[in-house]
Amino acid sequence: MNMLSQEEKYRYSRQLNLPNVGEAGQIKLKQSSVLVVGAGGLGCPVLLYLAGAGVGQIGIIDHDKVDISNLHRQILYQTDDVGKFKAEVASEKIQRLNPTIQTTVYTEKLDALNARKIIANYDLIIDGTDNFSARYIVNDACVLENKPWVYGAIFRFEGQVSVFNYQNGPTYRCLFPEKPGNEPNCAEAGVLSVLPGMAGIYMATEAIKLILNTGELLNGKIIFFNTLHNSTYTLQLTRSAHAEIQKMGSNEDYNITEKCELNTLDLDNQTFSKMLDQGILVLDVREEWEEPKLAHEKIVHIPLATLHVRKNELPLDEDIVVICQSGGRSKTAIEILSKEYGFTRLKNLKNGIRAYIEN
């Protein structure tokens, strides 16, 4: 394991030529172990590129089976794989891509009872799940086992990626100290076919950089990107007291129902229009250059990345509707303002200002 064979040198020749990799870096990849939690939309591209890059030990945990509705975005699977365990199919296919790697398959659900035992066996964890319950379990187990992990999430046309618990950096609980309310998953909200591929490639890139100890990681930062409008922005994060985990509770403590239900904070276009007529205060968390603009007397522009610094510009004792392009950043802004700064009178324009203007 401390050297490369001639076949491996040829296989990775394009990567070996990179000054940030070289033979020493390729050996690091060969000696590393990564657990991918979830072999779905995010996990598929992650697994392909980790295997292609030469990560020596790859664990795959997923209790789900391939469904035909997965195939538009989960690129490891074909129609003939429907009904088979995703983890088993994924393992077989990445080993066909690169027979020099080793895989371990877990066809069980990662939960509060088994997470620490499984995660303890790997250097790095990559979370490809699609719900808050699983993310908190991954986060808490990684904190207790002192493992860094790469986070990714997608919603319709938007994605986000970060690196948590790396060198005493922030964790997922620094972003969401408490469990948010119900959020729709991909099956309920919909997702563009290429979006998990884009986010997954970004996640795999961060994992490889972390193993190689090269470049600037998304440690203390979370990047958001919108494929519909070609916009990106980065939110700075700091480690907080919420990062300190003493122990993991039972499975019931992580039991969050993931349903596509209308949050009581969400507004449809008709209700939003009425509130505008009544003079509601509007917080626009988009960048200043983003279109379309909302013509309204009481509107405050505070880009999401500067919200922590400029929060005092907002009244605590007044109703506020938060808007963004398509409803994703505004939800994040509400989480930040309510969980960290005590705002209680916030409402979200459900599908964003573009949908409102166009309708």
Side-chain angles (χ1 to χ4, degrees), residues 35-40 43 59-62 110 119 125-129 134 138:
L35 175 69
V36 179
V37 183
I60 310 167
I61 180 165
D62 197 316
L110 190 79
I119 282 173
I125 314 303
I126 301 181
D127 174 50
T129 61
V138 170

Side-chain angles (χ1 to χ4, degrees), residues 167-203:
Q167 294 185 345
N168 206 38
T171 75
Y172 188 67
R173 288 190 182 272
C174 301
L175 178 64
F176 294 114
E178 298 177 11
K179 303 167 187 176
N182 292 334
E183 291 287 338
N185 59 28
C186 292
E188 298 155 337
V191 61
L192 184 68
S193 63
V194 300
L195 183 64
M198 297 176 66
I201 289 172
Y202 216 131
M203 294 164 71

Side-chain angles (χ1 to χ4, degrees), residues 3 8 19 29 43 106 118 143 164 182 200 215 218 232 258 271 275-276 284 317 325 327:
M3 59 185 298
E8 288 173 317
L29 291 169
Y106 308 87
I118 294 173
V143 170
F164 289 129
N182 292 334
L218 287 171
T232 61
E258 309 291 340
T271 305
M275 296 182 81
L276 288 177
D284 188 342
D317 59 350
Q325 202 75 335

Side-chain angles (χ1 to χ4, degrees), residues 68-105:
I68 197 167
S69 66
N70 302 146
L71 301 182
H72 92 291
R73 68 195 182 281
Q74 298 184 16
I75 55 175
L76 271 172
Y77 314 121
Q78 282 79 45
T79 303
D80 291 346
D81 297 320
V82 170
K84 302 175 183 177
F85 279 108
K86 291 180 181 179
E88 292 179 346
V89 177
S91 172
E92 177 189 344
K93 293 191 176 181
I94 65 172
Q95 284 198 303
R96 269 194 264 158
L97 169 67
N98 188 350
T100 72
I101 67 170
Q102 301 293 320
T103 62
T104 303
V105 171

